[in-house]
Amino acid sequence: MSEGMRTVLSAFRVLEEVAYAQPAGVGELARRLRLPKSTVQRALRTLWTAGWICPDGAEVTRWVLTTRALHIGQRAIADLSVRDAAAATMQELRRETGETSHLMVREGDRAVLIERVETDHPIRAVIALGSAVPLHGSSNGKAMLAWLPREQVAEILGGRLERFTGNTIVDWDAFLAELDRVRERGYASNVGEWRTDIAAVASPIFDHNAQPVASISISAPGSRMPAGTRESYGALVIEAAQRISATLGYRRPA
């Protein structure tokens, strides 16, 4: 990486940290970013000159965002849909795995497919755009539910877990334990819980308010996604969801 590129990346990192820690001082920023104070100070001066930040008061010791940065951030969030944010990442997932990538959002007690990138395999898991799948019987649904309060999960699902196949989890204690596992590892797995022939892994997408607004998954016939493959694909959907979430303005807790 060139020196110029490192300088630009440092400036962006400093800008992002000011946005979340403002008013922020040089020492605090240097500690949080693990950068030399001199590097942080140069980045701050550059961002000040460009109009993105300004001193918080008369003394040049602590920094805040300017309205220019705030207006652009608000405009970006308003104009950027989950589908737009996910488009490139979904294509990349399809290239990496050769399997279908699905993007879903929650509507009531169902997960609704809003975008997909299909596999080239002649045998595939086909779900039409706009189709709704049960939250408790799908990897996408479980991925979104796992980060919600448990009382909200019960309210959303209406207190009853319908059985779709022999693998559907219909016991509440078992289902809540499954959500705990999803949250612990970062992705949900589904092996024939809605349709016996489909396996999938999914990870949640968070918006700038840290709400799980969507999920991204890799789906395939079960024969092409054994346990080891699900684990490796799980790591891929976690990374994909994190990139999309960051694009939507989400910042992971330290």
Side-chain angles (χ1 to χ4, degrees):
M1 184 184 298
S2 68
E3 183 63 30
M5 179 64 74
R6 279 194 292 270
T7 299
V8 171
L9 290 176
S10 294
F12 279 126
R13 290 179 65 196
V14 170
L15 177 63
E16 183 182 34
E17 200 61 42
V18 169
Y20 288 99
Q22 61 179 326
V26 175
E28 177 187 359
L29 292 168
R31 285 193 301 274
R32 292 172 69 97
L33 295 171
R34 297 181 182 179
L35 291 173
K37 285 186 178 181
S38 58
T39 299
V40 173
Q41 187 66 60
R42 284 195 299 271
L44 290 168
R45 292 281 177 173
T46 299
L47 293 167
W48 188 16
T49 300
W52 293 100
I53 64 173
C54 63
D56 181 34
E59 297 295 326
V60 186
T61 57
R62 300 183 72 79
W63 301 84
V64 295
L65 293 183
T66 63
T67 55
R68 176 181 184 181
L70 293 171
H71 288 161
I72 289 179
Q74 291 167 353
R75 176 65 182 273
I77 291 172
D79 289 351
L80 184 65
S81 70
V82 175
R83 185 184 287 105
D84 293 334
T89 298
M90 294 181 71
Q91 292 287 349
E92 185 175 347
L93 270 183
R94 217 281 298 173
R95 286 193 297 269
E96 288 178 322
T97 66
E99 300 293 355
T100 299
S101 176
H102 287 143
L103 179 68
M104 293 192 179
V105 297
R106 183 175 70 83
E107 290 187 7
D109 62 351
R110 294 287 187 268
V112 177
L113 180 64
I114 63 171
E115 190 58 270
R116 70 167 184 250
V117 179
E118 288 281 7
T119 177
D120 289 332
H121 287 293
I123 300 176
R124 61 187 68 179
V126 179
I127 304 175
L129 287 175
S131 295
V133 301
L135 290 176
H136 71 285
S138 63
S139 62
N140 287 89
K142 289 190 290 184
M144 288 184 276
L145 290 176
W147 273 261
L148 296 177
R150 295 301 176 250
E151 59 272 15
Q152 186 177 354
V153 171
E155 181 180 348
I156 289 170
L157 296 181
R160 177 176 177 269
L161 302 176
E162 183 179 353
R163 180 177 295 281
F164 298 99
T165 74
N167 290 336
T168 308
I169 302 174
V170 295
D171 177 79
W172 265 107
D173 289 339
F175 183 69
L176 294 179
E178 170 73 358
L179 294 187
D180 289 340
R181 287 190 291 271
V182 171
R183 187 157 182 161
E184 180 180 349
R185 69 189 177 204
Y187 71 91
S189 180
N190 169 26
V191 184
E193 294 173 39
W194 175 51
R195 285 171 42 179
T196 56
D197 56 335
I198 293 180
V201 291
S203 191
I205 295 167
F206 298 93
D207 66 6
H208 64 288
N209 291 318
Q211 294 300 305
V213 295
S215 59
I216 187 169
S217 67
I218 299 169
S219 301
S223 60
R224 290 208 302 267
M225 202 183 287
T229 302
R230 291 196 301 275
E231 185 175 350
S232 61
Y233 285 2
L236 292 177
V237 293
I238 289 173
E239 183 180 352
Q242 288 175 347
R243 287 201 300 268
I244 299 166
S245 298
T247 302
L248 293 173
Y250 172 66
R251 176 181 170 82
R252 284 183 292 168

